[in-house]
Amino acid sequence: MATFGELLGPSLLSREGEVAPTDALSNCGAVGLYFATGGVPECIDFTAKLAEAYNDALEDRGLVIVLVSRDASEADFEDHYGLMPWLALPFAAEQRDALASRFEVEQGPQLVILGPEGEVISTQGVTLVSSDPSGEGFPWKERATEQEGAEEAEGEGADEEAEKEQRS
């Protein structure tokens, strides 16, 4: 399992300036890697919901969010990040594409929830936050496991239906 320094590189942006990931993420309950693009309507809508949930409850519960921008230019990134109350990976960081690839992000919004040691809790953070904005179930380990099990069962059910149709 990679450390946050290995995953995110040497620095993150905060409202106060640059900070080392090991300092910014120590003592957190979970880390949310938020993949988003400023001009995409779905990202704009979810960013507003996420910011409200973060400010109202999730920050106090121990969630630290890091924007992994999918913006096309640094100017777009700066406009986009200016609306957010959390940390960000610098626009020029080479880890942006590596993280998107690692977590199979094609388009945003996507919120990957990592545990305090960097382990993946869920790649379905948008759904988790949307269904529990007050963070009652934070860090959502059980819900993520149930959700992923349900998705696997749905996939298996679809496979069984396809096999039945082929035999008919």
Side-chain angles (χ1 to χ4, degrees):
M1 181 172 359
T3 66
F4 286 120
E6 292 169 338
L7 274 177
L8 302 173
S11 67
L12 297 172
L13 301 177
S14 75
R15 295 289 162 223
E16 293 76 40
E18 290 191 9
V19 61
T22 51
D23 295 337
L25 306 176
S26 65
N27 301 318
C28 67
V31 174
L33 298 180
Y34 181 43
F35 297 87
T37 305
V40 174
E42 294 86 353
C43 292
I44 294 167
D45 291 345
F46 184 71
T47 297
K49 292 174 188 171
L50 182 59
E52 182 177 356
Y54 181 78
N55 289 329
D56 290 350
L58 298 177
E59 181 178 27
D60 290 340
R61 292 193 183 274
L63 179 64
V64 176
I65 298 174
V66 177
L67 171 66
V68 183
S69 172
R70 305 301 292 151
D71 291 302
S73 72
E74 190 157 6
D76 290 344
F77 163 75
E78 289 173 6
D79 289 344
H80 187 204
Y81 179 53
L83 304 172
M84 300 178 185
W86 44 73
L87 302 169
L89 200 61
F91 182 79
E94 58 192 46
Q95 290 83 0
R96 288 184 329 125
D97 289 335
L99 288 167
S101 177
R102 179 181 186 141
F103 296 110
E104 300 176 355
V105 175
E106 292 183 21
Q107 61 184 11
Q110 185 168 340
L111 181 64
V112 176
I113 308 293
L114 303 175
E117 302 300 318
E119 72 279 11
V120 176
I121 293 174
S122 178
T123 58
Q124 303 297 316
V126 170
T127 302
L128 293 170
V129 170
S130 295
S131 65
D132 183 20
S134 64
E136 294 296 321
F138 180 81
W140 303 297
K141 287 182 182 179
E142 290 178 15
R143 292 185 69 189
T145 302
E146 291 170 6
Q147 185 178 42
E148 288 164 8
E151 289 172 1
E152 286 176 15
E154 281 180 19
E156 291 169 6
D159 291 343
E160 290 172 13
E161 287 296 318
E163 287 177 22
K164 284 181 186 176
E165 287 181 25
Q166 286 178 344
R167 289 188 292 237
S168 302

